[in-house]
Amino acid sequence: MSLELQIGLLLLLAALGMPLFAVILGIALVGLQAAGYEQAALTEFYGLGDMPGLIAIPLFTLAGYLLSESGAPKRLVRLSDALLGSLPGGLAIVAIVACAFFTAFTGASGVTVVAMGALLYPALKAAGYPDRYSLGLVTAAGSLGLLFAPSLPLILYGFVAAPIATNPTVSVQDLFLAGLLPGALMLVVLSAHAMWVGRGVPSTGKAFDARELWAAAKDARWELPLPVVVLAAIYQGVLAVSEVAALTAAYVLVVTLLVRRELAFRQLPGVMAEAMRMVGAILLILGAARALSNWFIDQDVPGRLYALVSTHIDSPLEFLLVLNVFLLVVGMLIDIFSAIVILTPLLMPLAAQFGVHPAHLGIVMLANLQLGYFTPPVGMNLFIAAYRFKVPVTTLVRATLPFLLLLGASVLLITWWPALSLALLETGGTG
């Protein structure tokens, strides 16, 4: 059977529901076998253990799952409401900020829709926000936070990109810095829209209550140090990413089990198993994609791709515009982890030819892929929210359209204004 026929058969199986990692690995195996070194695929899985800092992925994942099982979401919403609720559209801004924080730590947009949506959607409706706006907000805001540390997609892109020879190189720490301003831009844009919508909500703009703010801060006193410790330790170079991940997981474990006692010891194995199932899926995809990347490099796919693209595209801006459209479609069809590990080895050499900084490329990729979560017709969050809130997907498509346009405009600005991603990198003397 020819190579083309074998790959075609695998793609057909993918269309019939074959797991994506198996399709990726299958294509890698038949390609590498045809090239004469089929054992290379297996060595990629073995080599995962030698990747520096890989332990950060399971540790941050465990911390996120522990937080989602605790009362942290309710305390986060209460604190945000006490701090921001007095603004016009305050509760909607609370929802935006809370969802971004939660997604940054869990790394799972769908989990945010389920966990935070259960708290925020009824609260938004009770406060008088339009039902369509409330639905659209909790569905779209579930993807926010992927550009903030310690987001798993940011970490994964850093691990995949680090071994690729580019000038300059890029690290996980670089990406944590690069994502801050673009992520903040998205929050500001949605918050401004929330204030505009909030003008017509009777209960908006409630009086600021310093005593409630103090009580909410005191209630969340164990969660408040988390982002400060993570960001400060990494940005100041005090600890490596894997060390920060270990510190975060240990801290959350002690607080959840011993201090708050919101999780019993008998529940811990179940939560850990759930977290590690997600980690196992990521590692399977990562190993398979690394094998596929080897075959792509052997076949000089990046070089051929550049030759094809350069015949139609002359400037970095044109390249990034086409990339935006491509990534938006990819984000609808496959999960963000698969997209990162498959596309990064292909796109980084191509982007380098057009002079695009690898950290800027990473932020552009993640910003587009997070839009894919709620882009019709097949954005994953649309179906999760439809199931969670018992509404038709078509209703959610209409509800999320304004958010898609607002965040889409933000992504274009992030794409065409590289300084937004690179300013803090240059200030920090990295990259």
Side-chain angles (χ1 to χ4, degrees), residues 134-182:
S134 302
L135 276 173
L137 180 62
V138 295
T139 304
S143 67
L144 295 175
L146 294 180
L147 297 182
F148 295 120
S151 159
L152 282 178
L154 267 182
I155 295 172
L156 187 61
Y157 177 87
F159 284 140
V160 177
I164 300 173
T166 57
N167 186 22
T169 57
V170 66
S171 67
V172 174
Q173 287 92 333
D174 293 337
L175 292 163
F176 281 1
L177 280 173
L180 278 176
L181 294 181

Side-chain angles (χ1 to χ4, degrees), residues 328-378:
L328 196 60
V329 174
V330 169
M332 286 189 293
L333 299 177
I334 64 176
D335 68 275
I336 194 168
F337 301 110
S338 302
I340 290 168
V341 294
I342 295 170
L343 296 178
T344 300
L346 289 176
L347 294 178
M348 276 191 68
L350 186 60
Q353 297 287 342
F354 286 100
V356 178
H357 194 289
H360 179 50
L361 174 68
I363 300 305
V364 170
M365 280 184 64
L366 295 183
N368 277 281
L369 291 171
Q370 79 174 36
L371 286 190
Y373 272 120
F374 62 96
T375 301
V378 289

Side-chain angles (χ1 to χ4, degrees), residues 252-333:
V252 172
L253 191 65
V254 169
V255 169
T256 306
L257 288 176
L258 302 178
V259 179
R260 296 280 193 187
R261 296 185 180 180
E262 293 175 330
L263 198 68
F265 278 96
R266 66 177 180 276
Q267 296 173 279
L268 185 60
V271 176
M272 294 178 70
E274 193 68 29
M276 292 310 107
R277 273 192 283 271
M278 181 177 179
V279 172
I282 294 172
L283 294 182
L284 274 174
I285 294 167
L286 182 56
R290 279 164 58 95
L292 183 63
S293 299
N294 272 349
W295 180 55
F296 282 160
I297 293 169
D298 178 72
Q299 299 298 308
D300 193 29
V301 173
R304 295 180 187 180
L305 194 58
Y306 174 71
L308 175 65
V309 170
S310 60
T311 59
H312 304 285
I313 295 175
D314 300 318
S315 71
L317 288 182
E318 289 179 16
F319 165 72
L320 290 170
L321 178 60
V322 173
L323 183 63
N324 280 337
V325 177
F326 171 69
L327 290 172
L328 196 60
V329 174
V330 169
M332 286 189 293
L333 299 177

Side-chain angles (χ1 to χ4, degrees), residues 1-2 9 45 55 60 114 128 142-143 149 196 258 266 270 275 300 310 318 332 342 356 367 393 426:
M1 187 182 296
S2 68
L9 180 59
F45 282 93
I55 192 65
F60 274 130
V114 173
S143 67
W196 183 79
L258 302 178
R266 66 177 180 276
D300 193 29
S310 60
E318 289 179 16
M332 286 189 293
I342 295 170
V356 178
V393 172
E426 293 164 358

